[in-house]
Amino acid sequence: MMIEWSRRENEIIAMLPFGLTVESVGSDKESRPAKVAELSVAMRLDYSLVEANGPVTVGDIPHLIGTLGYMHSWPYFRADVQYLTAKLGMPALVLPVVLSGEVQARVLVSESPASPDEPPILSQTPKKAGRKLAAPKSSRNRTD
């Protein structure tokens, strides 16, 4: 997932595009999976920065948006997938709970090329550029 963000003074706006493809598996092992549904949900998150412990630097934002943005929006995406699959007449699909230590493998964060006065807009094509979310040093060796 590529998260795009922009900052205006003490406000951060992030766009998180979630997507899921549902495939059917045939009864024999020779058949290829067939696409049954493709679900896409884009979420906009607005954060207000409180600089009580000093200014927030641009270097802090990718980790903040990558971890918190993903963790704050994942439960809503899970609920949307469960609702939409049931609405399509399929068995309700329940996605797993995501732990914060798993976020780094799922997220790429990039500052939006839009001007600071405009919110980020999801790109039409996936971007290859961006910053991989780095884990804090204290949690790199954790196995939870």
Side-chain angles (χ1 to χ4, degrees), residues 6-28:
S6 66
R7 180 177 180 179
R8 283 189 239 157
E9 297 177 24
N10 289 337
E11 183 179 78
I12 298 174
I13 300 170
M15 294 297 290
L16 290 87
F18 287 94
L20 176 75
T21 300
V22 180
E23 296 178 337
S24 69
V25 180
S27 57
D28 60 7

Side-chain angles (χ1 to χ4, degrees), residues 26-60:
S27 57
D28 60 7
K29 294 182 181 183
E30 300 292 322
S31 65
R32 300 178 75 198
K35 187 188 297 185
V36 175
E38 189 168 358
L39 307 173
S40 297
V41 177
M43 296 187 192
R44 175 182 161 160
L45 302 177
D46 292 10
Y47 288 98
S48 295
L49 297 176
V50 178
E51 299 179 353
N53 295 325
V56 176
T57 66
V58 173
D60 296 332

Side-chain angles (χ1 to χ4, degrees), residues 6-134:
S6 66
R7 180 177 180 179
R8 283 189 239 157
E9 297 177 24
N10 289 337
E11 183 179 78
I12 298 174
I13 300 170
M15 294 297 290
L16 290 87
F18 287 94
L20 176 75
T21 300
V22 180
E23 296 178 337
S24 69
V25 180
S27 57
D28 60 7
K29 294 182 181 183
E30 300 292 322
S31 65
R32 300 178 75 198
K35 187 188 297 185
V36 175
E38 189 168 358
L39 307 173
S40 297
V41 177
M43 296 187 192
R44 175 182 161 160
L45 302 177
D46 292 10
Y47 288 98
S48 295
L49 297 176
V50 178
E51 299 179 353
N53 295 325
V56 176
T57 66
V58 173
D60 296 332
I61 295 173
H63 186 76
L64 171 82
I65 294 300
T67 303
L68 293 180
Y70 194 88
M71 294 301 294
H72 290 158
S73 58
W74 179 255
Y76 295 99
F77 179 63
R78 283 182 75 219
D80 286 346
V81 167
Q82 185 174 357
Y83 170 77
L84 290 170
T85 52
K87 184 90 170 164
L88 290 170
M90 302 166 51
L93 177 61
V94 180
L95 298 179
V97 172
V98 173
L99 303 174
S100 62
E102 300 169 353
V103 173
Q104 333 171 175
R106 298 173 179 242
V107 173
L108 201 58
V109 181
S110 177
E111 187 170 6
S112 178
S115 74
D117 296 330
E118 298 175 20
I121 299 172
L122 292 175
S123 302
Q124 296 298 318
T125 58
K127 289 186 176 183
K128 302 230 182 219
R131 240 172 79 175
K132 190 74 173 170
L133 182 63

